[in-house]
Amino acid sequence: MLSPLLPLLLCVPLVSCKCSDPSPAFPVPSWTKQHKDDSLASTFHAIDTALKSIATDDQYDTTSFSVSLTSETETLWSHHHTALKQNATRPGTTHIDNQSQYRIASITKVFTTLGLLYQHSAGNLSLDDPVSDYIPELNSTSAIPWKDITLRLMASQLSGMPREGNWADLATTPFDPTSVGLPPVDREDLNLPACFDPEVFESCNWTQILPYLNNKQPVFAPGQKSSYSNVAFELLGLVLARVTGLSYEEYMHESIFKPLKMESTTFKTPESDEHAVLPLGQFFWDVDEGIHNPTGGIYSSSADMSVFLRYVLTHYNALATGVNWFMPASWTGLRSFYGMPWEILRTERILEHSNRPVTFVTKGGAVPSYFSRITVMPEYGLGLTLLVGGESSILEKIQGAVTIPLVRAAEGLVWQDIDTTHSGNYTALDKELNSSITFAASAATGLEVTSFISNGTDMFDTLLSTYAQLLGIPKEAAWRVQLTPTLLFKNETSQEGEIWRMQIVRERTEDGPIWDDFCLVDVDPVSYAGEPLNEVVFWHGERLVELSAFRRGAVDASNPRYHLGHITILAQPNGEERKYSPTSEEPAHTACMRHNEQ
């Protein structure tokens, strides 16, 4: 007898989810006051203790730092450390708190890119326009193919252009090149702009820099390979200025800082040192970066950066049509990627009970004596700010000391909540049907289907096992049915009717062949009567589950699609019956099952 799913062999890729557990595994959690005060309190206490221990190292006596964690709605926790040793003549602030100001360096690139997305959304430019459309001084005779370099490539570190316009040529520095084995050079023969003064750390202007850039060589062809470029963002700042008619700094203030009420964030050196973090020996606090501002000129505080991260967490997929700001644009390593302009880590090594990958969307920055990183954890709805004034090596230590215990604690709390709201046995509202489905939640397996009976048929023995074989999973191999949230709702307005999809996941017990790491995601493999066969909808207010494709009905001869037959009766917890019909303004729950309360 032929399998009813045999035709799917023609269209279903023979690849199972062997490389990892499905991600995302749960809807973005809402971190309540109770979570902050009770469930996460012990984790925050442990992180505080770890950070205090790190700061006791003698090498960090001149280092101050601020760390702040925010949810989508509020700051959940912060930690600040004031350097033990400070400059006696100009100490700056002597008490680090959430208003203390640091130079955040290349995190500025995130703001530049946000301004670019705003202008793309407004129709004033296109991300896929070549940069030469806006800066015609970048001429066609240059070795760098400016006409092939789009604004999107520049923001994604895929432009192939040089890293620096100036400030990176050793010939422009006061040190003796022969001391490190380099041949001597005569600066007069280098054809450098006059602003390249080795004795003065100052910015050039565009009249000086653009001709110089035209004489530079590309690193890669555009779009070929990622390579970090500060020049790309300096030019993007010039594009924004020309498109908006404002200076770059004015545009950032009017479009981002002011609307978000980021009152401690500026490109100008703060007039007062009241909140200034001034590490012993620093010299960069008062440097005006000029045309380099779009790549690294911002001063800010942890409080302001938390405000910004809250905005990013709630708007990243709605800033411009077709742009999910957290998606990677190119790879930089096995588990790391460049975004636009994010630096992304995706690792399966952090969770204790699962190999499911966790994504960290970050952007770091560094100028002399100031080191910073923001980290967004979109799956958890969390954003972390880390600002350092002093010794650079402390940044990575703090990053690990905070993120690892934080993610593990958040993961545990998420599954406690999912178990409470989703797990259980659901039986058909129509008692004539022998139909039921059971869900169980754990950190190891996610939200999974542990039993599924439809009209007396065990779906694990029939439909699901057949499909597992079509995915290339051997009969003897272990597999499970795990649910993946789509982050969509049947009623988007009221955020009701939470939609999930069932996926068959092969249990990975040991390392297999190299190609076991190859996994193609296909969450919508087959439908039945026009409905996704694997769609599960949770109606939490009524403790109901809807299996969209398993609805009762009859075939309409004039239109061979399954449709609702008679009125579906929904039993309410108080025993009252309510009736819905397909034409009702309220949703008609098809193939609904009621949760059996424990």
Side-chain angles (χ1 to χ4, degrees), residues 307-357:
V307 170
F308 179 70
L309 289 178
R310 286 195 283 275
Y311 173 77
V312 169
L313 280 165
T314 52
H315 290 78
Y316 69 90
N317 199 28
L319 294 168
T321 302
V323 176
N324 181 331
W325 203 18
F326 289 166
M327 284 296 177
S330 67
W331 58 86
T332 61
L334 179 63
R335 298 180 178 88
S336 52
F337 312 85
Y338 274 134
M340 189 170 66
W342 303 97
E343 296 146 3
I344 303 168
L345 169 67
R346 187 168 166 83
T347 177
E348 78 284 6
R349 299 166 59 191
I350 194 169
L351 299 180
E352 296 177 291
H353 305 292
S354 171
N355 289 325
R356 193 185 80 251

Side-chain angles (χ1 to χ4, degrees), residues 112-113 115-117 119-120 124-138 146 149-152 154-155 161 206 210 231-249 251-252 291 294:
T112 301
T113 306
L116 198 68
L117 291 175
Q119 291 303 304
H120 173 84
N124 297 328
L125 57 76
S126 169
L127 292 172
D128 297 311
D129 286 340
V131 64
S132 54
D133 282 2
Y134 303 95
I135 310 177
E137 297 96 321
L138 300 171
W146 300 111
I149 299 175
T150 67
L151 307 182
R152 188 190 302 271
M154 292 166 68
M161 66 178 63
W206 285 119
L210 290 176
V231 171
F233 286 84
E234 292 161 4
L235 292 174
L236 288 176
L238 180 57
V239 169
L240 288 173
R242 291 185 171 182
V243 166
T244 63
L246 302 171
S247 72
Y248 165 79
E249 294 79 10
Y251 175 61
M252 289 290 105
I291 64 170

Side-chain angles (χ1 to χ4, degrees), residues 446-519:
L447 181 61
E448 62 174 327
V449 180
T450 57
S451 70
F452 185 8
I453 306 296
S454 178
N455 288 316
T457 300
D458 190 330
M459 303 302 285
F460 275 86
D461 292 338
T462 55
L463 189 68
L464 294 173
S465 62
T466 302
Y467 188 65
Q469 293 175 46
L470 293 182
L471 288 173
I473 301 176
K475 288 185 178 181
E476 66 278 6
W479 51 271
R480 69 180 187 274
V481 179
Q482 185 170 334
L483 274 71
T484 299
T486 66
L487 309 182
L488 299 172
F489 296 86
K490 286 291 185 179
N491 189 329
E492 289 289 344
T493 302
S494 63
Q495 299 283 281
E496 295 176 342
E498 186 181 78
I499 304 173
W500 297 60
R501 292 292 188 102
M502 292 184 283
Q503 286 185 267
I504 291 179
V505 180
R506 182 176 177 178
E507 302 282 6
R508 189 170 182 175
T509 56
E510 59 184 17
D511 289 336
I514 289 176
W515 280 88
D516 263 6
D517 286 330
F518 187 48
C519 179

